[in-house]
Amino acid sequence: MLLKNLSSLTLGALYAASGAFADSSSSSSSLPPIEVAGNKFFYSNNGSQFYIQGIAYQADTVNGSAGDDINDPLADYSTCSRDIPYLKKLNTNVVRVYAVNTTLDHSKCMEALAENDIYVIADLSIPGKSVDRTDPQWNVELYERYTGVVDAFANYTNVLGFFAGNEVTNNASNTDASAFVKAAVRDVKKYISDKDYRKIPVGYSSNDDEDTRVPMADYFACGDSDVKADFYGINMYEWCGDSNFQTSGYKDRTADFKNLSIPIFFSEYGCNAVKPRKFSEVQTLYGSNMTDVWSGGIVYMYFEEDNGYGLVSVENNNVKTLSDFENLSSQMAKIKPSVAKNSSYTAQSTSLSCPASQKYWKANTKLPPTPSKDLCGCMHDSLSCVVNTDKIDEDKYGDLFGYVCSQVDCDGITADGKNGSYGTYSFCSAEEQLSFVLNLYYQKNGKQSSACDFKGSASLQKATTQSACSSALKQIGSSGTGSASSSVSVSSSGSGSGSNSKSSSNGDSSSSSSSSKGSSTAGAKEKNLALGSKASLSQVILSFVATLGVVAGAGFAMA
């Protein structure tokens, strides 16, 4: 039987019960945390180098839009305890999970994994809740999702780290999205520090696109320690069938990343263009040609599904090992990578220059602001003209955005990762953002009641400003493009809309899952993970300004 299907839990329910389990507060079993030094991982207790010998471990994760279910492999003890002996036969010391349900109890599985010397790398996103390459945002909704995962797992010492994104930028056309993922890395690291959790590494998992692979790694590895990623993974499918270090592409990739200043590893590998997989690349990956640069890898994947990447099949709760399993087990049993000691290790490179803008790389080093739910609530409460949520649904916001932003400056709510320009309220919900620009329109038109109507889609409210909000709102200014000198924290009794307004809608085009792969091709650079998403705010504004700006009525009667 596959991992229990969480059919009764929609994504909405995942957040409704946040904090239902404080399952990371204690653990009867512990492993020494893994630490980062230079481009290597080390055991914190004895300073020996740690190589990732990993397996992607997640079955039947729905790769879809918001409202679909996920299958959390760390929340079903009957299944994880069944599978751990098989993971041990593969010499597994890391499992990667792509989606977790923060409302469930993970303590039994996490302790069982720890007792068997197995660490976890968990993706912070879920399908429908990640940075979307077609509509990149780093907003309050995502911030709360990502930090919620941190809260659920931070106190398990066998959490090796977190992925803040997976294949978000997948070619040169969407490199701007990487600015939003790097902002997530920055803010999750700060959240971990502010909460006084142990220093848990936060990294990124990329695809292997020939145009962007090097500048993208440099981009995530560059900058100050509080901004850059702690580690970097590449989903690598260049070695297919019988190959070798030179012809597979591994030699070239090792040369590409020899100067990377943070640990790099294969966050997925195991091309299945030739079956059965012999996994001959294992000896090379953990051999002398690669271990100076690479820290191991994660085989895709444990469960057999339609994509044909499985190591085992499961039927009626019975596990059957496949030929790929036996081949991998044999290969892993033979590896003997050289092991450095942290005490005698000196990193060859400790810093890296950020990549310059060029033909294939356009992500700005200036990152989006840190989302603040309280600030969004302060802003919304200070407005006189706001969205009438009783009369208009969020899927109809596009028309209003398009018309209003053809009449007023909407820079305060837009974000551009290419140019590095971000409105102060670009992280707020769609309702809050629309209310902000409706209020600008209302003010521009003499604060006449007819300028806050739009056939009932907008209405007047009594504007209020809490004392905790006053200074920040003044510094930000009426256009929403200034910056506050300090963060805002308002009392829970305040009327801020941050806790009441609809969540912003940003579809997911980048969150990978265990079911995301189709059949492999010889090139093995597949995995177009594009999922359905709503049009981005920027796209809405650009498309509607050109049309609705010249049609003043646009279906909205002002009187």
Side-chain angles (χ1 to χ4, degrees):
M1 181 176 67
L2 298 177
L3 288 180
K4 190 181 298 178
N5 188 349
L6 305 176
S7 59
S8 62
L9 288 171
T10 65
L11 289 183
L14 299 186
Y15 303 103
S18 61
F21 292 94
D23 62 355
S24 69
S25 59
S26 62
S27 175
S28 61
S29 300
S30 64
L31 283 176
I34 301 300
E35 298 177 337
V36 171
N39 74 334
K40 301 187 187 303
F41 294 111
F42 293 94
Y43 286 100
S44 60
N45 62 336
N46 60 21
S48 295
Q49 187 177 356
F50 179 85
Y51 288 96
I52 293 174
Q53 299 167 205
I55 301 293
Y57 182 68
Q58 192 142 17
D60 287 342
T61 298
V62 178
N63 194 8
S65 58
D68 289 331
D69 303 323
I70 64 170
N71 190 336
D72 185 340
L74 303 180
D76 186 345
Y77 178 71
S78 63
T79 298
C80 69
S81 60
R82 177 202 67 195
D83 293 332
I84 285 174
Y86 295 94
L87 294 171
K88 292 296 291 181
K89 288 180 181 179
L90 296 169
N91 285 345
T92 302
N93 64 9
V94 170
V95 292
R96 177 183 181 180
V97 294
Y98 296 84
V100 295
N101 182 340
T102 57
T103 70
L104 299 179
D105 183 5
H106 303 92
S107 58
K108 288 186 177 180
C109 280
M110 292 300 295
E111 291 177 12
L113 290 167
E115 289 169 356
N116 286 275
D117 303 322
I118 298 175
Y119 292 84
V120 172
I121 301 179
D123 286 54
L124 296 172
S125 62
I126 52 175
K129 295 291 185 296
S130 76
V131 177
D132 177 351
R133 70 173 72 97
T134 67
D135 172 17
Q137 301 178 41
W138 175 234
N139 56 31
V140 170
E141 183 180 33
L142 297 184
Y143 180 85
E144 292 184 341
R145 161 65 198 180
Y146 286 28
T147 56
V149 175
V150 171
D151 287 338
F153 287 90
N155 290 325
Y156 295 115
T157 61
N158 60 325
V159 172
L160 188 155
F162 300 109
F163 279 127
N166 181 76
E167 299 192 359
V168 179
T169 290
N170 65 350
N171 59 51
S173 72
N174 48 48
T175 60
D176 62 309
S178 287
F180 297 83
V181 183
K182 192 168 182 179
V185 171
R186 174 201 64 199
D187 291 343
V188 170
K189 290 177 66 168
K190 186 176 188 303
Y191 181 81
I192 290 171
S193 176
D194 289 347
K195 294 282 285 188
D196 202 27
Y197 293 138
R198 68 177 174 88
K199 190 175 181 180
I200 308 171
V202 182
Y204 177 68
S205 173
S206 80
N207 69 327
D208 182 33
D209 176 68
E210 61 181 351
D211 294 327
T212 61
R213 63 165 74 100
V214 174
M216 183 153 39
D218 290 350
Y219 182 78
F220 279 96
C222 75
D224 295 336
S225 60
D226 59 341
V227 173
K228 69 181 182 180
D230 296 312
F231 59 81
Y232 193 78
I234 298 184
N235 297 339
M236 175 71 66
Y237 292 88
E238 294 190 5
W239 186 307
C240 299
D242 292 322
S243 191
N244 57 55
F245 180 59
Q246 288 76 22
T247 61
S248 64
Y250 280 19
K251 180 179 180 181
D252 292 336
R253 300 294 78 76
T254 300
D256 285 340
F257 303 113
K258 65 180 181 181
N259 294 321
L260 200 67
S261 54
I262 59 176
I264 185 172
F265 56 94
F266 292 175
S267 42
E268 292 176 4
Y269 75 97
C271 170
N272 70 353
V274 179
K275 296 281 286 182
R277 294 182 288 180
K278 297 179 180 179
F279 289 106
S280 54
E281 67 264 42
V282 165
Q283 301 310 311
T284 300
L285 177 58
Y286 295 94
S288 59
N289 284 326
M290 297 186 69
T291 50
D292 282 346
V293 174
W294 301 91
S295 293
I298 298 171
V299 171
Y300 192 87
M301 59 174 288
Y302 182 77
F303 295 99
E304 175 71 339
E305 295 178 346
D306 292 342
N307 56 28
Y309 280 90
L311 301 172
V312 306
S313 62
V314 182
E315 186 175 354
N316 296 325
N317 204 35
N318 294 316
V319 177
K320 178 183 178 182
T321 60
L322 304 177
S323 55
D324 285 5
F325 180 100
E326 305 302 336
N327 292 338
L328 179 60
S329 178
S330 175
Q331 293 287 355
M332 293 302 296
K334 294 186 291 186
I335 65 170
K336 293 182 179 180
S338 60
V339 177
K341 295 290 289 187
N342 198 359
S343 59
S344 58
Y345 165 69
T346 301
Q348 295 182 354
S349 176
T350 57
S351 63
L352 195 67
S353 297
C354 292
S357 177
Q358 42 100 335
K359 180 180 179 181
Y360 299 116
W361 191 257
K362 304 294 183 184
N364 203 288
T365 54
K366 184 178 180 181
L367 305 179
T370 301
S372 168
K373 183 176 182 179
D374 283 344
L375 182 58
C376 293
C378 287
M379 176 270 286
H380 187 272
D381 286 351
S382 73
L383 306 176
S384 296
C385 180
V386 297
V387 177
N388 186 349
T389 56
D390 292 333
K391 293 294 182 70
I392 183 171
D393 293 329
E394 189 173 323
D395 58 4
K396 303 295 185 182
Y397 286 2
D399 289 349
L400 271 172
F401 271 125
Y403 175 70
V404 174
C405 288
S406 72
Q407 305 296 309
V408 299
D409 186 348
C410 287
D411 286 350
I413 62 170
T414 56
D416 188 332
K418 177 181 177 181
N419 296 323
S421 58
Y422 311 98
T424 306
Y425 303 124
S426 60
F427 50 68
C428 297
S429 71
E431 178 194 331
E432 290 162 337
Q433 290 179 341
L434 183 53
S435 293
F436 177 75
V437 297
L438 286 172
N439 194 69
L440 290 179
Y441 182 90
Y442 170 71
Q443 292 177 324
K444 181 180 179 181
N445 286 276
K447 299 184 180 180
Q448 299 182 33
S449 60
S450 60
C452 186
D453 184 25
F454 296 93
K455 286 191 172 180
S457 297
S459 60
L460 294 172
Q461 71 170 10
K462 182 180 179 181
T464 60
T465 301
Q466 291 191 54
S467 58
C469 305
S470 180
S471 176
L473 293 178
K474 184 176 180 180
Q475 290 173 332
I476 292 167
S478 59
S479 66
T481 55
S483 59
S485 58
S486 60
S487 60
V488 172
S489 179
V490 299
S491 64
S492 59
S493 60
S495 58
S497 71
S499 61
N500 300 317
S501 62
K502 294 179 182 178
S503 60
S504 59
S505 60
N506 66 310
D508 181 342
S509 69
S510 55
S511 179
S512 174
S513 76
S514 64
S515 303
S516 65
K517 286 185 179 58
S519 298
S520 175
T521 60
K525 297 174 184 176
E526 72 289 5
K527 305 194 311 296
N528 181 352
L529 303 179
L531 308 179
S533 67
K534 295 181 180 179
S536 71
L537 174 58
S538 300
Q539 292 167 334
V540 167
I541 292 173
L542 288 173
S543 63
F544 277 90
V545 164
T547 56
L548 297 184
V550 297
V551 184
F556 302 119
M558 299 301 121

